[in-house]
Amino acid sequence: MNTVLPFPGDEEGTEIDTLQFQLKIKCSRNPQAAKESSDPNELYFNHKVYSKHMTWVPLGNQTDLFPDADFRPVHDDILIALLRPGQEIDVLMHCVKGIGKDHAKFSPVATASYRLLPDITLLQPIEDEAAETLQKCFSPGVIEIQNIKGKKVARVANARLDTFSREVFRHEGLKNLVRLARVRNHYIFSVESTGILPPDVLVTEAIKILMGKCQRFLNELDTVPME
Protein backbone atom coordinates (compact mmCIF):
# COMPACT_ATOMS: atom_id res chain seq x y z
CA MET A 1 0.00 0.00 0.00
CA ASN A 2 1.25 3.45 -0.92
CA THR A 3 0.43 6.42 1.28
CA VAL A 4 0.70 9.95 -0.11
CA LEU A 5 1.08 12.36 2.81
CA PRO A 6 0.12 16.04 2.71
CA PHE A 7 3.60 17.52 3.05
CA PRO A 8 7.12 16.08 3.38
CA GLY A 9 7.81 15.23 7.00
CA ASP A 10 4.16 14.71 7.96
CA GLU A 11 3.73 11.28 9.48
CA GLU A 12 -0.05 11.20 9.17
CA GLY A 13 -3.04 13.44 8.67
CA THR A 14 -5.62 14.17 11.35
CA GLU A 15 -9.37 14.54 11.30
CA ILE A 16 -9.12 18.33 11.62
CA ASP A 17 -7.04 18.95 8.52
CA THR A 18 -7.29 15.89 6.27
CA LEU A 19 -9.77 13.84 4.27
CA GLN A 20 -8.64 10.30 3.52
CA PHE A 21 -9.59 8.39 0.37
CA GLN A 22 -8.86 4.86 -0.69
CA LEU A 23 -8.54 3.58 -4.23
CA LYS A 24 -8.52 -0.19 -4.35
CA ILE A 25 -9.30 -1.86 -7.65
CA LYS A 26 -8.12 -4.91 -9.59
CA CYS A 27 -8.49 -5.74 -13.26
CA SER A 28 -9.61 -9.23 -14.28
CA ARG A 29 -10.73 -11.05 -17.41
CA ASN A 30 -14.37 -11.46 -18.32
CA PRO A 31 -14.96 -15.21 -18.71
CA GLN A 32 -18.16 -14.49 -20.59
CA ALA A 33 -16.46 -12.41 -23.31
CA ALA A 34 -16.65 -13.67 -26.88
CA LYS A 35 -13.42 -15.29 -28.08
CA GLU A 36 -13.28 -13.18 -31.22
CA SER A 37 -13.78 -9.93 -29.31
CA SER A 38 -10.98 -7.35 -29.18
CA ASP A 39 -12.90 -4.72 -27.24
CA PRO A 40 -11.27 -4.10 -23.82
CA ASN A 41 -14.64 -3.01 -22.45
CA GLU A 42 -15.92 -6.51 -23.16
CA LEU A 43 -12.76 -8.47 -22.41
CA TYR A 44 -11.93 -7.04 -18.98
CA PHE A 45 -13.52 -5.99 -15.73
CA ASN A 46 -12.32 -2.77 -14.07
CA HIS A 47 -9.76 -2.02 -16.76
CA LYS A 48 -10.58 1.69 -16.56
CA VAL A 49 -9.98 3.36 -13.21
CA TYR A 50 -12.10 6.46 -12.67
CA SER A 51 -12.38 9.03 -9.92
CA LYS A 52 -15.70 7.41 -8.94
CA HIS A 53 -13.74 4.44 -7.60
CA MET A 54 -12.28 6.60 -4.82
CA THR A 55 -14.02 6.04 -1.50
CA TRP A 56 -13.92 8.21 1.59
CA VAL A 57 -12.30 6.63 4.67
CA PRO A 58 -13.26 8.68 7.77
CA LEU A 59 -10.48 9.68 10.13
CA GLY A 60 -10.99 9.96 13.88
CA ASN A 61 -14.45 11.32 14.67
CA GLN A 62 -15.23 12.54 11.13
CA THR A 63 -18.17 10.16 10.96
CA ASP A 64 -19.74 11.99 13.90
CA LEU A 65 -18.76 15.42 12.59
CA PHE A 66 -20.17 14.74 9.12
CA PRO A 67 -22.92 12.14 9.59
CA ASP A 68 -24.62 12.92 6.26
CA ALA A 69 -21.49 13.70 4.26
CA ASP A 70 -20.52 11.88 1.10
CA PHE A 71 -17.10 13.26 0.27
CA ARG A 72 -16.02 12.42 -3.26
CA PRO A 73 -14.49 14.02 -6.35
CA VAL A 74 -16.63 16.64 -8.03
CA HIS A 75 -16.57 14.67 -11.28
CA ASP A 76 -16.97 10.89 -11.30
CA ASP A 77 -15.70 10.30 -14.83
CA ILE A 78 -12.07 11.45 -14.53
CA LEU A 79 -9.89 8.68 -15.96
CA ILE A 80 -7.02 7.87 -13.59
CA ALA A 81 -5.43 4.76 -15.11
CA LEU A 82 -5.83 1.86 -17.56
CA LEU A 83 -5.22 -1.66 -16.25
CA ARG A 84 -4.88 -5.15 -17.65
CA PRO A 85 -5.56 -8.52 -15.97
CA GLY A 86 -3.21 -9.07 -13.04
CA GLN A 87 -2.69 -5.38 -12.45
CA GLU A 88 -4.23 -3.58 -9.50
CA ILE A 89 -4.11 -0.32 -7.58
CA ASP A 90 -4.22 -0.14 -3.80
CA VAL A 91 -3.48 3.37 -2.61
CA LEU A 92 -4.42 5.52 0.35
CA MET A 93 -4.65 9.25 -0.36
CA HIS A 94 -4.84 12.26 1.91
CA CYS A 95 -6.70 15.34 0.74
CA VAL A 96 -5.60 18.55 2.46
CA LYS A 97 -6.70 22.16 2.14
CA GLY A 98 -4.06 24.70 1.23
CA ILE A 99 -3.49 28.07 -0.40
CA GLY A 100 -1.59 29.16 -3.47
CA LYS A 101 1.16 30.55 -1.27
CA ASP A 102 1.93 26.98 -0.14
CA HIS A 103 1.82 25.45 -3.62
CA ALA A 104 0.41 26.40 -7.02
CA LYS A 105 -1.76 23.26 -7.00
CA PHE A 106 -3.90 24.86 -4.29
CA SER A 107 -4.61 28.03 -6.29
CA PRO A 108 -8.32 28.30 -7.18
CA VAL A 109 -7.56 30.81 -9.96
CA ALA A 110 -6.89 29.64 -13.52
CA THR A 111 -6.06 33.01 -15.08
CA ALA A 112 -6.28 36.58 -13.85
CA SER A 113 -5.65 39.72 -15.89
CA TYR A 114 -6.58 43.36 -16.07
CA ARG A 115 -6.79 46.10 -18.70
CA LEU A 116 -7.79 49.74 -18.88
CA LEU A 117 -11.24 50.67 -20.14
CA PRO A 118 -11.07 51.58 -23.86
CA ASP A 119 -12.18 55.08 -24.86
CA ILE A 120 -13.28 55.42 -28.48
CA THR A 121 -14.20 58.81 -29.92
CA LEU A 122 -15.57 59.47 -33.40
CA LEU A 123 -14.13 62.85 -34.43
CA GLN A 124 -16.82 63.45 -37.01
CA PRO A 125 -19.95 61.72 -38.32
CA ILE A 126 -19.21 58.50 -40.22
CA GLU A 127 -21.97 57.44 -42.55
CA ASP A 128 -23.15 54.80 -45.02
CA GLU A 129 -20.40 52.54 -46.46
CA ALA A 130 -17.74 54.06 -44.23
CA ALA A 131 -19.92 53.32 -41.19
CA GLU A 132 -20.18 49.68 -42.18
CA THR A 133 -16.42 49.46 -42.70
CA LEU A 134 -15.86 51.06 -39.31
CA GLN A 135 -18.13 48.55 -37.63
CA LYS A 136 -16.10 45.65 -39.08
CA CYS A 137 -12.88 47.14 -37.67
CA PHE A 138 -13.97 46.55 -34.09
CA SER A 139 -15.17 43.61 -32.01
CA PRO A 140 -18.89 42.78 -32.26
CA GLY A 141 -20.99 45.17 -30.19
CA VAL A 142 -18.49 48.05 -30.08
CA ILE A 143 -19.90 50.02 -33.01
CA GLU A 144 -23.55 50.09 -33.95
CA ILE A 145 -25.18 51.61 -36.99
CA GLN A 146 -28.27 53.77 -36.67
CA ASN A 147 -30.63 54.82 -39.43
CA ILE A 148 -30.97 58.61 -39.20
CA LYS A 149 -32.95 60.40 -41.91
CA GLY A 150 -32.27 57.63 -44.39
CA LYS A 151 -28.54 57.49 -43.69
CA LYS A 152 -26.53 54.84 -41.90
CA VAL A 153 -24.66 56.58 -39.09
CA ALA A 154 -22.04 54.91 -36.88
CA ARG A 155 -21.92 55.42 -33.12
CA VAL A 156 -19.93 53.92 -30.27
CA ALA A 157 -22.25 51.49 -28.51
CA ASN A 158 -19.99 49.71 -26.00
CA ALA A 159 -16.30 50.60 -25.94
CA ARG A 160 -15.72 48.08 -23.14
CA LEU A 161 -15.91 45.23 -25.67
CA ASP A 162 -13.01 46.57 -27.74
CA THR A 163 -9.76 44.59 -27.79
CA PHE A 164 -7.58 47.38 -29.25
CA SER A 165 -6.81 45.59 -32.49
CA ARG A 166 -6.13 49.00 -34.15
CA GLU A 167 -7.58 47.60 -37.37
CA VAL A 168 -9.21 50.97 -38.08
CA PHE A 169 -5.80 52.56 -38.73
CA ARG A 170 -5.32 50.31 -41.74
CA HIS A 171 -8.01 52.26 -43.57
CA GLU A 172 -6.91 55.59 -45.02
CA GLY A 173 -10.43 56.98 -45.03
CA LEU A 174 -11.03 56.19 -41.34
CA LYS A 175 -7.75 56.47 -39.45
CA ASN A 176 -8.08 60.24 -38.99
CA LEU A 177 -11.74 60.06 -37.99
CA VAL A 178 -11.31 57.90 -34.87
CA ARG A 179 -9.37 58.49 -31.66
CA LEU A 180 -8.46 55.50 -29.49
CA ALA A 181 -7.44 55.98 -25.88
CA ARG A 182 -7.77 54.39 -22.46
CA VAL A 183 -9.43 55.63 -19.30
CA ARG A 184 -6.44 55.75 -16.95
CA ASN A 185 -8.36 55.30 -13.71
CA HIS A 186 -10.80 52.58 -14.86
CA TYR A 187 -9.51 49.00 -14.63
CA ILE A 188 -11.28 45.91 -15.95
CA PHE A 189 -10.27 42.76 -14.08
CA SER A 190 -10.91 39.32 -15.51
CA VAL A 191 -10.72 36.33 -13.18
CA GLU A 192 -11.24 32.75 -14.32
CA SER A 193 -11.81 30.09 -11.69
CA THR A 194 -10.62 26.49 -11.80
CA GLY A 195 -14.11 25.56 -10.61
CA ILE A 196 -13.40 25.25 -6.90
CA LEU A 197 -14.88 28.66 -6.05
CA PRO A 198 -16.99 31.09 -8.12
CA PRO A 199 -15.05 34.09 -9.51
CA ASP A 200 -17.04 36.62 -7.44
CA VAL A 201 -16.05 34.77 -4.26
CA LEU A 202 -12.40 34.67 -5.35
CA VAL A 203 -12.32 38.43 -5.92
CA THR A 204 -14.07 39.15 -2.61
CA GLU A 205 -11.69 36.92 -0.65
CA ALA A 206 -8.66 38.37 -2.44
CA ILE A 207 -9.74 41.90 -1.48
CA LYS A 208 -10.14 40.80 2.15
CA ILE A 209 -6.61 39.39 2.14
CA LEU A 210 -5.25 42.58 0.56
CA MET A 211 -7.02 44.68 3.18
CA GLY A 212 -5.53 42.49 5.91
CA LYS A 213 -2.02 42.95 4.52
CA CYS A 214 -2.50 46.71 4.34
CA GLN A 215 -3.72 46.77 7.94
CA ARG A 216 -0.72 44.76 9.13
CA PHE A 217 1.58 47.17 7.30
CA LEU A 218 -0.09 50.15 8.97
CA ASN A 219 0.17 48.45 12.36
CA GLU A 220 3.88 47.87 11.82
CA LEU A 221 4.33 51.54 10.92
CA ASP A 222 2.68 52.52 14.18
CA THR A 223 5.17 50.40 16.14
CA VAL A 224 8.22 52.01 14.51
CA PRO A 225 9.72 54.60 16.91
CA MET A 226 9.74 58.13 15.53
CA GLU A 227 13.05 59.97 15.66
Side-chain angles (χ1 to χ4, degrees):
M1 175 165 301
N2 181 24
T3 302
V4 182
L5 295 175
F7 297 102
D10 289 352
E11 295 183 357
E12 61 179 292
T14 66
E15 66 271 14
I16 63 173
D17 60 13
T18 304
L19 288 178
Q20 182 173 265
F21 291 90
Q22 184 176 32
L23 178 60
K24 187 174 184 179
I25 190 169
K26 183 176 182 179
C27 178
S28 60
R29 293 186 181 277
N30 178 11
Q32 305 300 323
K35 293 183 178 180
E36 65 277 6
S37 176
S38 60
D39 182 7
N41 293 320
E42 184 179 350
L43 290 173
Y44 313 126
F45 291 128
N46 297 327
H47 79 104
K48 289 185 177 181
V49 183
Y50 289 102
S51 51
K52 65 182 178 182
H53 294 124
M54 295 170 54
T55 57
W56 174 45
V57 181
L59 290 173
N61 64 341
Q62 287 182 344
T63 304
D64 299 327
L65 293 174
F66 312 107
D68 301 322
D70 181 24
F71 295 112
R72 56 187 176 81
V74 175
H75 302 287
D76 292 335
D77 58 349
I78 301 175
L79 183 63
I80 298 176
L82 294 174
L83 303 179
R84 286 298 181 264
Q87 296 179 333
E88 63 181 306
I89 294 178
D90 189 353
V91 61
L92 195 62
M93 298 165 284
H94 292 82
C95 178
V96 297
K97 182 180 179 181
I99 60 176
K101 183 179 179 180
D102 299 331
H103 196 285
K105 66 184 178 183
F106 292 121
S107 176
V109 179
T111 57
S113 62
Y114 75 90
R115 61 190 178 99
L116 293 172
L117 176 68
D119 182 19
I120 304 172
T121 304
L122 303 184
L123 302 178
Q124 68 181 57
I126 301 177
E127 303 173 344
D128 298 327
E129 186 177 345
E132 294 179 346
T133 302
L134 179 69
Q135 187 180 46
K136 295 177 182 178
C137 291
F138 292 89
S139 303
V142 175
I143 302 295
E144 72 173 12
I145 297 177
Q146 296 178 323
N147 195 322
I148 300 177
K149 297 181 180 180
K151 291 186 177 182
K152 297 179 179 178
V153 181
R155 66 175 290 271
V156 179
N158 190 352
R160 184 188 182 99
L161 300 176
D162 184 40
T163 58
F164 267 89
S165 67
R166 304 178 67 85
E167 173 67 20
V168 66
F169 295 121
R170 294 166 58 91
H171 299 268
E172 287 294 330
L174 294 175
K175 66 180 184 179
N176 295 322
L177 305 180
V178 180
R179 182 177 65 214
L180 300 182
R182 293 180 174 88
V183 181
R184 296 298 173 181
N185 61 352
H186 189 135
Y187 294 85
I188 301 173
F189 284 86
S190 298
V191 177
E192 180 183 351
S193 170
T194 60
I196 298 174
L197 294 171
D200 57 331
V201 174
L202 292 176
V203 173
T204 302
E205 293 302 314
I207 292 175
K208 290 179 182 178
I209 293 174
L210 181 59
M211 292 173 63
K213 290 181 177 180
C214 292
Q215 187 60 54
R216 285 196 298 273
F217 178 68
L218 293 175
N219 294 339
E220 289 177 2
L221 289 179
D222 290 338
T223 60
V224 174
M226 301 298 292
E227 295 182 357

